[in-house]
Amino acid sequence: MNTLLLKNATLLVTMDDARRRIPNGSLLVRDNVIAAVGTTAELAECSADRVIDATGMVILPGLVNTHHHLYQTLTRAVPAAQDATLFQWLKTLYPIWAGLTGEAVYISALTGLAELLLSGCTTTSDHLYIFPNDVRLDDEIRAAQEIGIRFHATRGSMSLGESKGGLPPDRVVEDEAFILKDTQRVIETYHDPRPYAMLRIAVAPCSPFSVTEDLMREAARLARAYGVQLHTHLAETQDEEAFCLATSGKRPVGYAESLGWLGDDVWFAHGVHINPAEIREMAHTHTGVAHCPSSNMRLASGIAPVRAYLDSGVPVGLGVDGSASNDGSSLLAEARMALLLQRVMGNPAGLSAEEALWIATRGGAEVLGRDDIGQLTPGKAADFIGLRLDTPGYAGGAVHDPLAATVFCQPQNVELSVINGRVVIQEGQLLTVDVPVVIERHNAIARKLVWER
């Protein structure tokens, strides 16, 4: 049995049900599980194979990212898509993404995952829904396993091309029978339902405007036959709402409900254009939502009603969303954006710093259907991060309220990250991949993909 003892943390934030904050905190890990949490004095008699001195750090549960498109790191800040709404942005980028390869998906995943890890994320989902050329979900799964992050890979899909009334070009959609067959393959090959699993699979048709109703129904049947979760984009823009009304006569949530897409095994990305009745229905069915504030601002999509979600009991997690609609993959920055965006309508208490971090930890765990991550308590997975408080960005704030400083102040990269009991970041350096080499290869692929078509 391997043991690890962290001690002397300036503040240890548990995010347990009592929301305990432990000054001069300490925790003990046995193998991949937290064995004890308390003050350094309370755990003074504990010994371990490895001891980490967290003096000057705030320790938090690892952050949980509930929505992303890792391949989009390759198309950040593409000039033609910089000032577009969602539908315009997609139609600009679909032809570029048609040139993706398996290597491109693998390298872009390593790049995006490295950025996530450095920002404090220890568990992430990813929504890969475009499979041109030799691309397979396996490509990003390999990247996640190499870099050491806890991963929820969602097998996305598009089947409704332009010729059939959908948004994507016909050349980037797939046959529905193949989609279902390949989804079954990745579930059977990779999904791990056990506690502390490092890899799980979800079923994720892309959106109402890119798949048929038949595929949505069959995807739900497949997911529930295997006991895996369901994920899709929903109610992101008013254009999407108009599309749903025109094609089905229903608003997006009503459309989802008619297809069996509400329940505690479902989470939607965005959920911006939702009315009070729909919020009540999502709360009643315990349907989750991934809040993606930066992407929603970047594409002028609107402001999700996060305060109303929380007050109604809808499970809410944070998502950085695609790196070409956010142009970043920092989950700590997203927590800050969530806090600020809920205040922009005039309520200075629209979201507190603690609530923003709760969404980024416990909320994300709940959305992903997990009760083994998101908090620092005995019996939970040993996923935690440490942020140095003696940096210029936290100066002053760390003195007054270290927890609030991590959200109100300019986001910093983590000093320490432990995932499943394994040290992945130490002294601010990612230990599992050679980041400069990955970036060099990533940029070469990005240049070819966009400029050498």
Side-chain angles (χ1 to χ4, degrees):
M1 178 180 292
N2 296 315
T3 54
L4 181 153
L5 177 66
L6 178 139
K7 64 180 184 178
N8 301 327
T10 298
L11 182 68
L12 190 147
V13 179
T14 65
M15 288 296 169
D16 64 8
D17 291 343
R19 304 196 182 204
R20 288 185 303 154
R21 305 184 193 183
I22 304 174
N24 194 20
S26 183
L27 64 81
L28 176 67
V29 175
R30 292 195 180 99
D31 288 334
N32 61 335
V33 179
I34 297 171
V37 176
T39 65
T40 298
E42 289 170 338
L43 272 61
E45 299 302 315
C46 295
S47 61
D49 303 320
R50 181 171 185 175
V51 177
I52 295 176
D53 187 349
T55 299
M57 292 189 212
V58 57
I59 302 298
L60 301 169
L63 309 183
V64 180
N65 180 36
T66 58
H67 185 65
H68 205 357
H69 308 293
L70 288 162
Y71 72 89
Q72 291 179 13
T73 58
L74 295 162
T75 51
R76 287 170 167 165
V78 168
Q82 287 178 9
D83 304 308
T85 62
L86 174 66
F87 278 20
Q88 296 165 342
W89 177 86
L90 284 169
K91 290 180 79 69
T92 299
L93 293 175
Y94 279 142
I96 296 174
W97 296 336
L100 287 168
T101 64
E103 183 191 16
V105 167
Y106 165 69
I107 293 294
S108 60
L110 281 179
T111 302
L113 292 172
E115 187 178 10
L116 281 171
L117 285 165
L118 289 164
S119 79
C121 180
T122 57
T123 297
T124 187
S125 67
D126 190 67
H127 192 185
L128 181 60
Y129 57 80
I130 188 166
F131 293 86
N133 306 309
D134 63 339
V135 173
R136 301 198 308 163
L137 193 63
D138 311 57
D139 300 314
E140 63 176 27
I141 289 173
R142 176 163 64 101
Q145 291 176 327
E146 289 180 8
I147 209 166
I149 199 166
R150 202 178 294 277
F151 196 45
H152 284 232
T154 77
R155 206 302 183 177
S157 55
M158 297 192 295
S159 66
L160 190 66
E162 286 178 315
S163 66
K164 296 180 180 179
L167 192 71
D170 288 352
R171 63 182 172 137
V172 298
V173 302
E174 296 178 282
D175 173 75
E176 293 190 353
F178 175 77
I179 289 168
L180 293 168
K181 181 179 179 182
D182 192 59
T183 303
Q184 181 177 353
R185 176 189 69 83
V186 295
I187 294 170
E188 292 178 349
T189 303
Y190 294 111
H191 181 67
D192 183 356
R194 295 172 297 178
Y196 316 120
M198 290 293 289
L199 178 59
R200 289 185 179 171
I201 305 296
V203 181
C206 183
S207 63
F209 50 82
S210 59
V211 298
T212 67
E213 292 186 6
D214 284 344
L215 182 60
M216 291 289 283
R217 290 191 187 94
E218 291 303 315
R221 290 192 187 101
L222 177 65
R224 286 169 178 145
Y226 280 91
V228 302
Q229 286 191 289
L230 289 159
H231 182 51
T232 193
H233 297 89
L234 201 80
E236 181 175 0
T237 67
Q238 290 180 323
D239 287 341
E240 180 191 323
E241 181 178 315
F243 181 93
C244 288
L245 286 168
T247 57
S248 71
K250 301 179 181 69
R251 287 170 52 82
V253 172
Y255 170 81
E257 182 181 22
S258 71
L259 302 173
W261 271 70
L262 293 181
D264 61 6
D265 58 351
V266 178
W267 87 100
F268 301 136
H270 303 294
V272 174
H273 297 280
I274 300 285
N275 64 34
E278 292 165 332
I279 291 174
R280 289 193 295 271
E281 183 62 21
M282 289 176 64
H284 175 70
T285 56
H286 211 67
T287 302
V289 64
H291 176 43
C292 306
S294 293
S295 174
N296 295 159
M297 287 187 284
R298 157 77 151 84
L299 296 175
S301 299
I303 303 172
V306 171
R307 182 73 266 160
Y309 281 141
L310 294 174
D311 291 344
S312 299
V314 174
V316 181
L318 275 185
V320 299
D321 197 18
S323 295
S325 65
N326 176 336
D327 301 288
S329 300
S330 170
L331 198 56
L332 197 57
E334 217 59 31
R336 183 173 188 261
M337 286 297 182
L339 176 141
L340 296 175
L341 196 56
Q342 289 306 299
R343 297 177 175 212
V344 77
M345 302 302 290
N347 180 5
L351 196 71
S352 71
E354 185 179 61
E355 286 176 314
L357 286 175
W358 184 274
I359 292 170
T361 53
R362 291 290 296 274
E366 184 179 16
V367 165
L368 294 184
R370 301 196 69 142
D371 61 4
D372 56 349
I373 61 173
Q375 58 182 298
L376 303 182
T377 56
K380 304 302 181 182
D383 294 2
F384 56 90
I385 57 173
L387 290 145
R388 291 213 64 84
L389 294 170
D390 57 355
T391 63
Y394 289 154
V399 173
H400 305 305
D401 187 339
L403 181 150
T406 65
V407 181
F408 276 99
C409 300
Q410 182 67 26
Q412 309 289 304
N413 278 354
V414 299
E415 174 78 0
L416 171 72
S417 179
V418 175
I419 304 176
N420 212 41
R422 175 191 184 194
V423 177
V424 174
I425 294 174
Q426 184 176 8
E427 296 180 352
Q429 300 300 308
L430 184 57
L431 305 179
T432 50
V433 296
D434 190 335
V435 174
V437 171
V438 171
I439 292 172
E440 182 179 8
R441 182 59 189 146
H442 179 275
N443 287 344
I445 294 171
R447 190 175 297 110
K448 182 177 180 180
L449 184 69
V450 176
W451 300 110
E452 298 179 19
R453 287 186 293 138

